[in-house]
Amino acid sequence: MPLQHLRLIHTSDTHLGDHLGHPSSNIALQKVVCETILLRADFLLLAGDVFDNERISDETVNFFLNEISKLETPVILLPGNHDLMHDTSIYKREVFRDPPNNLFIFKEENGEIIEFDDQGIKFWGKAMSEHSPSFQPLSPLPHPERNTWFIGMAHGHFEAIETNSGRSSLISPAEINKSPFNYIALGHWDLYTDVSQEQNLAVYSGCPMTVGDKSGPGFVSLVDLDPEKGTLYDKWSMKS
Ligand SMILES: [Mn+2]
């Protein structure tokens, strides 16, 4: 089957439920949902830290689920260090028993593929269960896939190996370089940052809103998978 043209919206770090640190996160999520519809995206990617912590209310979770259910677009969610996938995970609460059927959540800490045969696209990611130096969001990498778009998702801190900081959930330039993906949707950083290594594309979308006292619009990454031109991506303002 030939590759299809597909459009992705990639965002992360909404930190829902953190009313002090991220006061405009609810509005930002609503904007992301609107833009996903207006831009006719085929998939919405949430690259971790969707929720701020495990003490958030069920009301916050229900707000999120209600927003997601407004979309027909599949939503691919990778847990991050603020919304870990472990025993007491937000994603294991009762309210997640019957999620909208367009919501797909990575659950395996060793990595898994979520695939959409009809559209010819696969997503790979490792659900973080512990934010520690032993968790490596892009290692080991999966094998390349043929005749399909292949998108990686990772939540962690990008750093050159030589820096040797010993920080948690590190992502190295070498891993991006060796990766089999058409694009890697990264989360963990507040600001849009392109950390691509030559042809291997990897981008932090940053928050869809600004963080701190001055709340305002942020950015998402708008990704077009074009059968002829390959992966095209752009920093897309959430203004308007
Ligand atoms: Mn994070």
Side-chain angles (χ1 to χ4, degrees):
M1 192 179 69
L3 293 176
Q4 297 179 32
H5 184 283
L6 294 173
R7 172 169 278 186
L8 321 175
I9 304 278
H10 156 209
T11 188
S12 73
D13 297 85
T14 41
H15 289 269
L16 296 169
D18 177 24
H19 304 297
L20 287 175
H22 300 81
S24 56
S25 56
N26 282 20
I27 294 165
L29 178 70
Q30 286 174 324
K31 272 193 166 176
V32 167
V33 167
C34 282
E35 286 294 292
T36 302
I37 295 167
L38 290 171
L39 293 166
R40 298 172 186 273
D42 298 290
F43 293 89
L44 170 61
L45 314 187
L46 306 176
D49 293 355
V50 172
F51 299 103
D52 187 67
N53 63 73
E54 287 180 4
R55 299 175 307 283
I56 60 157
S57 65
D58 277 353
E59 195 187 335
T60 295
V61 177
N62 280 321
F63 166 79
F64 169 77
L65 294 172
N66 186 47
E67 287 303 312
I68 297 307
S69 69
K70 291 175 183 170
L71 292 169
E72 285 170 28
T73 318
V75 177
I76 320 295
L77 190 161
L78 178 76
N81 59 304
H82 283 258
D83 50 355
L84 295 165
M85 184 58 81
H86 57 179
D87 286 352
T88 56
S89 177
I90 294 163
Y91 303 111
K92 293 184 180 171
R93 284 191 195 183
E94 192 72 33
V95 283
F96 265 101
R97 276 277 171 87
D98 187 23
N101 55 17
N102 62 324
L103 179 61
F104 299 83
I105 303 175
F106 285 101
K107 297 196 170 73
E108 302 295 331
E109 63 180 312
N110 294 319
E112 71 185 292
I113 287 176
I114 297 174
E115 59 183 287
F116 296 83
D117 277 344
D118 291 352
Q119 285 123 311
I121 188 166
K122 297 184 184 198
F123 298 90
W124 175 92
K126 290 175 75 174
M128 192 188 296
S129 63
E130 190 187 5
H131 186 45
S132 71
S134 65
F135 182 74
Q136 297 171 294
L138 277 185
S139 180
L141 287 161
H143 296 296
E145 296 278 340
R146 284 197 192 139
N147 304 319
T148 179
W149 294 113
F150 197 22
I151 304 300
M153 292 180 70
H155 190 92
H157 181 69
F158 174 82
E159 182 180 277
I161 290 287
E162 308 83 68
T163 309
N164 199 18
S165 69
R167 285 172 71 168
S168 300
S169 307
L170 286 176
I171 294 166
S172 74
E175 286 164 346
I176 293 172
N177 241 322
K178 285 184 297 191
S179 77
F181 305 116
N182 298 105
Y183 176 89
I184 305 174
L186 298 173
H188 194 49
W189 290 3
D190 290 346
L191 299 175
Y192 185 100
T193 311
D194 188 344
V195 296
S196 299
Q197 306 293 309
E198 299 191 20
Q199 268 80 276
N200 291 73
L201 309 178
V203 174
Y204 282 97
S205 60
C207 306
M209 68 289 183
T210 52
V211 174
D213 295 341
K214 286 186 200 152
S215 59
F219 297 88
V220 296
S221 185
L222 176 60
V223 184
D224 281 304
L225 303 172
D226 186 308
E228 267 142 47
K229 296 176 189 153
T231 307
L232 309 168
Y233 62 102
D234 211 353
K235 180 179 178 179
W236 189 265
S237 172
M238 296 306 286
K239 233 177 261 173
S240 82

